Amino acid sequence: MSLELADVERAYGDAVALRGVDLTVRDGEFFTLVGPSGCGKTTTLRCIAGLETPDAGAVRFDGTDVSGVPPEDRNVGVVFQHYALFPTMTVRENVAYGLRFDPPAGESVEERVDDLLALVDLTGMGERDPDELSGGQRQRVALARALAPAPDVLLLDEPLSALDARLRDELRLELKRVQRELGVTTVYVTHDQAEALAVSDRLAVMNDGRVAQVGDPESVYENPETRFVAAFLGENNCLDGRAVGGETRGSLVRVGDASFTVAGDYRGAVTCCIRPESLDVNASHNRFEARVAESEFLGDGYRVHFDWNGRSVVARLDDAPTGRVTLGFDPDDAVVLER
Ligand code: ATP
C-alpha cells in the first residue's frame, strides 16, 4: 500500500500544526517522520490514521482519496508511545483483541496469536499479565496487537521513547526485522535523529508544519539542503561566511579572519557546514587554530568543543587535546549552502 499526502493543512484555532505537507510513502517502505517537538509529526500520522481530518489537502491510499473513510475502515495498525495494553487482560487476550473485527481466515485465533507472539519474540509469555512484563516486552505486545489484523499500513508514534537507551537500540532493530519480514508499509514518528538515520528506508525531516527534506538517510545526512536540516540531522558546524569567487579547485570562502577553499562555484553569502567527524588535527587543508573549551569521552573517541575566535566548533577526535590546536578539513567535506 502506498500513501500520499498532498498539501495537507491542519490548524487548531490559532495554532497551525500543518502548513501544507506533501509526502509519498512507497509500498513496503519504512518511512520516518523526524523533527523537533511541535513540528507536526503526530498530526501528520493522525491524518493518515483518520483520527484527524485535514482542513485542506488530500490523503490517498494507493492513489484513492480516503477523506470519507473512518479510521476503523482504513486497515491501519497504530502503536503509540505509551503502550495502552488492557491491564486486566493477559498478553494473549491483548493480542487477540486486535482480531476482534477481523477473525483470521484459515487459522484459529489461538494459532494466529501464537504466530504473532513468535514474530515479536514473546513465545511462552501469552498467559502473563501486562504488569509482569518489562517496558520493552509491553511494546512488543502492543506491536503484535497492532499487527494482528494484518494491516496494510503500520503507524508508529514514538513507540520506543519511553524505554531506556539500550532497550531502545535493541527494539528498533527488532522493529525493523518485523517490518521487513511482513513488508508492511510503515510510517514511524520520532524526534530522535539518530534513530531516524538508523531505521529508515527513507525519512522526511519536518520543521514548523512542513516537510523540509525527504530522502534516504545517507543522502539527507550528506547533502542537507537547508541549515535547519544540516543542524538537526546529526551534529554540524554551520559557519556563516562570504564566498569570494573562483579558485582552481573550487571557491574561496571567508569566515571571520580565515579563508577556506570549498568544492563548487559560489559567490556571496554562504554557510559552510562541516561535520565534527570531518575536522581533523592532521588535515593539510583549510587549517585554523582554535582553543579547546571542553572534551567529552564517548568510548570510541572524544567530542571536543572548541572556541574559535568566539565561535563554537565541535570535532570528533581520537584523542582529547588541550590548549590551542590546529584543525582543518578537506574542501570536499564542506557542504555549502547559499544564504
Ligand atoms: P511532539 O514531538 O512534541 O509530539 P509533534 O511534532 O508530533 O510534536 P504535533 O503533536 O503534531 O507535533 O503538534 C503540532 C502543533 O500542533 C504543535 O504546536 C501543537 O501544540 C499543536 N497541536 C497538536 N494537537 C493539538 C490540539 N489537539 N489542540 C491544539 N493544538 C494542538
Side-chain angles (χ1 to χ4, degrees):
M1 175 74 71
S2 67
L3 305 176
E4 192 187 344
L5 277 74
D7 214 8
V8 170
E9 294 177 18
R10 179 71 173 120
Y12 304 94
D14 290 342
V16 183
L18 305 181
R19 298 172 192 275
V21 168
D22 289 298
L23 275 182
T24 304
V25 181
R26 299 172 189 148
D27 183 35
E29 186 167 53
F30 198 119
F31 190 93
T32 300
L33 301 174
V34 62
S37 183
C39 70
K41 306 180 294 292
T42 296
T43 306
T44 303
L45 205 72
R46 290 173 61 83
C47 286
I48 298 171
L51 300 167
E52 205 65 73
T53 306
D55 300 327
V59 178
R60 301 190 188 100
F61 284 21
D62 271 349
T64 304
D65 194 318
V66 292
S67 51
V69 182
E72 61 274 19
D73 292 336
R74 292 193 183 191
N75 202 18
V76 160
V78 190
V79 179
F80 294 104
Q81 175 178 356
H82 295 288
Y83 23 81
L85 299 182
F86 299 107
T88 56
M89 291 185 189
T90 63
V91 165
R92 173 172 288 285
E93 287 163 349
N94 265 283
V95 176
Y97 186 81
L99 294 164
R100 67 200 180 285
F101 300 126
D102 302 91
E107 61 180 338
S108 68
V109 169
E110 290 295 295
E111 285 169 333
R112 175 85 180 130
V113 171
D114 283 337
D115 289 348
L116 288 159
L117 290 178
L119 180 72
V120 299
D121 211 15
L122 286 180
T123 297
M125 301 270 198
E127 303 317 317
R128 290 205 190 181
D129 289 331
D131 66 3
E132 296 172 304
L133 300 177
S134 69
Q137 289 169 333
R138 282 181 218 170
Q139 278 306 56
R140 289 169 195 260
V141 178
L143 179 64
R145 187 176 63 185
L147 291 171
D152 292 324
V153 176
L154 181 62
L155 303 177
L156 305 166
D157 193 355
E158 307 241 10
L160 309 181
S161 60
L163 307 175
D164 69 59
R166 184 182 287 258
L167 202 56
R168 236 178 11 237
D169 290 357
E170 195 183 300
L171 217 59
R172 81 180 183 208
L173 268 176
E174 199 58 3
L175 253 184
K176 179 107 184 147
R177 175 189 61 77
V178 169
Q179 191 272 342
R180 273 233 183 91
E181 225 168 288
L182 301 177
V184 58
T185 305
T186 299
V187 184
Y188 185 79
V189 161
T190 181
H191 63 271
D192 181 335
Q193 39 91 18
E195 203 164 276
L197 289 170
V199 296
S200 318
D201 293 323
R202 288 192 311 144
L203 54 84
V205 181
M206 292 188 69
N207 184 27
D208 196 20
R210 290 194 184 87
V211 173
Q213 195 170 340
V214 179
D216 62 76
E218 291 87 349
S219 70
V220 180
Y221 184 85
E222 280 161 22
N223 302 299
E225 287 163 4
T226 61
R227 189 191 180 107
F228 174 81
V229 174
F232 182 79
L233 215 56
E235 215 169 6
N236 225 325
N237 296 293
C238 296
L239 304 173
D240 290 338
R242 181 157 287 276
V244 290
E247 280 273 281
T248 41
R249 278 193 62 191
S251 304
L252 203 63
V253 177
R254 292 203 203 291
V255 179
D257 295 339
S259 289
F260 297 139
T261 305
V262 296
D265 191 15
Y266 298 96
R267 262 158 227 266
V270 294
T271 300
C272 288
C273 303
I274 305 143
R275 295 283 184 194
E277 62 268 25
S278 298
L279 287 171
D280 187 10
V281 288
N282 299 316
S284 46
H285 295 95
N286 293 329
R287 287 156 67 84
F288 59 100
E289 203 184 82
R291 187 180 56 78
V292 175
E294 196 76 62
S295 292
E296 298 168 89
F297 180 52
L298 302 177
D300 60 348
Y302 293 83
R303 182 158 170 254
V304 186
H305 301 263
F306 290 89
D307 175 66
W308 176 43
N309 300 331
R311 290 182 179 80
S312 296
V313 170
V314 60
R316 285 293 304 262
L317 303 174
D318 292 337
D319 300 302
T322 53
R324 296 191 73 81
V325 175
T326 301
L327 295 167
F329 60 93
D330 193 282
D332 291 328
D333 285 344
V335 169
V336 181
L337 303 171
E338 285 168 325
R339 279 186 287 142

